[in-house]
C-alpha cells in the first residue's frame, strides 16, 4: 500500500491518521498471517497497537511505560482504555494526545502523575475508581483539555499537591 510513505519506513503521521480513520485496516494488519509481513518491524508495531482497539492497554511495570513512550505514535490512535498497575510514576507526556482514549484506571501504587501525562485526550470520559490512595502529586496540565472528563473525582487523603492547570479544560470537580 502507498499512503504517505511505505510501511517499511515506519509509522509516520500519515499512517497514524490513516489507521486511526480506518480501524478495520489496523485490525486486518493485526491478524496478518503473511510470514513476510508478520516479521516486518513496522507491522509488528502496528499489530501491537491495533490490539488495543478492543482490549485495554495494561501497564504493569516501568518497562511497559518505556515501550509505550518508545512507540507512542503507534499507540495514540488505537488505545481506548489504559489500566495502570504497580507503577509509582507516570512520566510527563505519557499518553498525551491519545485521541480515542476514553477510560483510565489507576490501581494502588501510583504516587505521581507527570506533567501533561494525559493532556489533550479529548475523548477521556472516565477515571475509573477515582484517584488511588497513595497518590502524592499531580503535575501541571496532567489532564488539561480532556474536554469530555466531567463529574466528581474523589481526591485521596494522600494527595499533597495538584499543580497549576492540572484539570483546566475539563468539566470535572475534585472532591
Amino acid at each position: 500500500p502507498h499512503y504517505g510513505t511505505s510501511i517499511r519506513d515506519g509509522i509516520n503521521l500519515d499512517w497514524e491518521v490513516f489507521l486511526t480513520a480506518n480501524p478495520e485496516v489496523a485490525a486486518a494488519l493485526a491478524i496478518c498471517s503473511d510470514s513476510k509481513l508478520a516479521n516486518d518491524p513496522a507491522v509488528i508495531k502496528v499489530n501491537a497497537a491495533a490490539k488495543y482497539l478492543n482490549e485495554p492497554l495494561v501497564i504493569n511495570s516501568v518497562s511497559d511505560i518505556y515501550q509505550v513512550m518508545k512507540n507512542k505514535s503507534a499507540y495514540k490512535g488505537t488505545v481506548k482504555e489504559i489500566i495502570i498497575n504497580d507503577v509509582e510514576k507516570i512520566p510527563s507526556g505519557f499518553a498525551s494526545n491519545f485521541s480515542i482514549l476514553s477510560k483510565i484506571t489507576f490501581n494502588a501504587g501510583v504516587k505521581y502523575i507527570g506533567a501533561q501525562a494525559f493532556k489533550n485526550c479529548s475523548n477521556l470520559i472516565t477515571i475509573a475508581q477515582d484517584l488511588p490512595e497513595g497518590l502524592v502529586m499531580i503535575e501541571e496540565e496532567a489532564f488539561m483539555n480532556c474536554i469530555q472528563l466531567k463529574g466528581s473525582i474523589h481526591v485521596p487523603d494522600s494527595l499533597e499537591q495538584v499543580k497549576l492547570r492540572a484539570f483546566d479544560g475539563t468539566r470535572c470537580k475534585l472532591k
Side-chain angles (χ1 to χ4, degrees), residues 30-44:
I31 59 171
C32 176
S33 61
D34 180 338
S35 62
K36 290 179 185 175
L37 287 177
N39 294 320
D40 186 294
V43 172
I44 290 169

Side-chain angles (χ1 to χ4, degrees), residues 69-153:
M69 298 290 286
K70 181 179 171 187
N71 298 301
K72 192 170 178 179
S73 64
Y75 285 92
K76 72 181 182 179
T78 59
V79 175
K80 290 182 180 179
E81 180 180 356
I82 296 176
I83 299 172
I84 300 174
N85 298 318
D86 302 321
V87 175
E88 287 189 12
K89 181 178 180 180
I90 300 168
S92 297
F94 168 66
S96 62
N97 299 305
F98 274 38
S99 59
I100 65 171
L101 178 65
S102 62
K103 181 179 179 182
I104 303 169
T105 303
F106 296 105
N107 290 317
V110 176
K111 293 182 178 181
Y112 173 89
I113 300 174
Q116 302 176 0
F118 300 98
K119 183 178 181 180
N120 296 325
C121 292
S122 57
N123 285 304
L124 181 61
I125 298 168
T126 305
I127 297 176
Q129 302 174 19
D130 292 315
L131 298 171
E133 189 58 49
L135 181 65
V136 176
M137 180 182 295
I138 301 173
E139 286 285 347
E140 60 275 342
E141 301 179 3
F143 295 93
M144 186 176 193
N145 296 330
C146 295
I147 58 176
Q148 300 298 321
L149 191 58
K150 57 187 171 190
S152 295
I153 297 175

